[in-house]
Amino acid sequence: MNSKIILLTFSACLALVSQTLTFAQKQKKWNVGISAGYGRDYFFKKFHGPKNEIPPGSITHFHSVHSWKSVVYVERFLRPRLSIKSQMDCAVLEMPNDVMFDDASMAWYQKNERNYWGSFSFGARKYFKSIAPFKVFADMGMQGDYFLGIRQYPDGNVQKSHWEAELYYHFVPSAYADMGVRWKRFTLTADYQTNVARTFAIDNPKIYNNPKHLKRSITRQGISLKATFLLSKAGEKWY
């Protein structure tokens, strides 16, 4: 069932990109691009309660081994060197086993688990005035992260997928800031993301009806380097 939903979502995204690309090619104010990124995500787990109630051996600071990202983005110029942009991200994080959901890493798993996230963001981009062919820009905006699920390998190469959030919230609001450089149809961007407002949390006391199960929350900060190719490019007068 979940695989069908993912396939339908992917097909809908392709159809949307196709229609957007057709429209953008008729206009000179639009950029449509695809990106691939690589980086690392850092997580901070907090136990809400007395310190003496925290389970011994609990891991509170951890990070992904690898983070891969694919992005589709659309940008529209409002005035020269100023644009608004929205993008859809899909992220695959290779994580130490169970550090997000249990107290300690399950070292007997032979392969690291993978976490899957999707996000949608909206923000603004400012290009700095330059006569050089390389255009420097800065981005800032808000995004919503959605935890899709995890894939574990409890028996070596045997995969076991869990398309739910293990009782944590699925949705987490975040913010991002970028710095990058564009040359013709190619862009290289350094990206920073951080959770804001409500964190990725689980209300253990309510779920288990036991006050000794401390409520837990996790916040994420991520850094990555992204390479972008513009499928459709706005006119040079806008840069």
Side-chain angles (χ1 to χ4, degrees):
M1 181 65 179
N2 288 290
S3 60
K4 291 182 179 179
I5 294 174
I6 294 173
L7 181 60
L8 287 173
T9 303
F10 181 73
S11 300
C13 290
L14 286 180
L16 179 61
V17 170
S18 177
Q19 291 297 320
T20 303
L21 189 57
T22 301
F23 174 78
Q25 287 172 342
K26 297 179 181 179
Q27 308 291 324
K28 295 301 181 182
K29 294 183 178 181
W30 294 76
N31 285 330
V32 179
I34 53 175
S35 306
Y38 176 82
R40 178 170 285 184
D41 290 85
Y42 297 85
F43 297 86
F44 307 88
K45 182 187 291 185
K46 183 177 181 180
F47 292 85
H48 302 265
K51 290 185 177 181
N52 60 351
E53 295 290 341
I54 298 176
S58 298
I59 297 175
T60 57
H61 294 74
F62 51 95
H63 57 77
S64 63
V65 181
H66 305 286
S67 297
W68 299 276
K69 299 181 180 181
S70 58
V71 183
V72 175
Y73 95 94
V74 177
E75 176 185 7
R76 184 189 187 280
F77 282 90
L78 301 177
R79 51 187 292 186
R81 298 188 299 279
L82 180 64
S83 64
I84 55 174
K85 60 187 286 282
S86 62
Q87 65 184 42
M88 293 182 293
D89 296 47
C90 179
V92 181
L93 281 57
E94 183 179 342
M95 300 288 297
N97 292 311
D98 273 1
V99 291
M100 291 187 71
F101 306 108
D102 287 346
D103 297 329
S105 176
M106 299 181 70
W108 59 84
Y109 279 15
Q110 297 181 32
K111 294 179 65 176
N112 289 327
E113 70 183 30
R114 290 190 175 185
N115 291 187
Y116 296 87
W117 289 82
S119 66
F120 180 82
S121 63
F122 184 83
R125 172 174 289 183
K126 172 65 177 178
Y127 290 87
F128 299 100
K129 188 174 182 179
S130 172
I131 59 173
F134 296 93
K135 308 298 181 182
V136 178
F137 59 83
D139 295 353
M140 186 173 291
M142 300 297 297
Q143 73 180 39
D145 296 332
Y146 192 85
F147 182 77
L148 298 172
I150 63 175
R151 176 169 292 176
Q152 295 176 322
Y153 303 85
D155 299 312
N157 293 320
V158 177
Q159 301 177 4
K160 185 177 181 181
S161 299
H162 306 274
W163 298 111
E164 26 76 15
E166 297 281 349
L167 303 178
Y168 281 81
Y169 299 142
H170 277 281
F171 177 78
V172 189
S174 299
Y176 74 89
D178 297 344
M179 284 290 294
V181 59
R182 185 191 68 85
W183 176 71
K184 295 184 178 180
R185 288 180 179 265
F186 299 95
T187 300
L188 191 63
T189 308
D191 176 65
Y192 170 76
Q193 300 178 2
T194 183
N195 294 158
V196 297
R198 187 180 67 179
T199 58
F200 189 48
I202 181 171
D203 193 349
N204 278 18
K206 182 178 180 180
I207 292 171
Y208 297 103
N209 194 28
N210 186 342
K212 291 186 177 181
H213 283 275
L214 300 182
K215 182 177 181 180
R216 305 172 187 182
S217 62
I218 299 175
T219 56
R220 178 189 66 87
Q221 296 182 10
I223 55 173
S224 62
L225 191 64
K226 296 187 296 186
T228 302
F229 177 76
L230 295 181
L231 301 173
S232 178
K233 189 171 75 70
E236 287 297 323
K237 70 176 183 178
W238 297 103
Y239 298 96

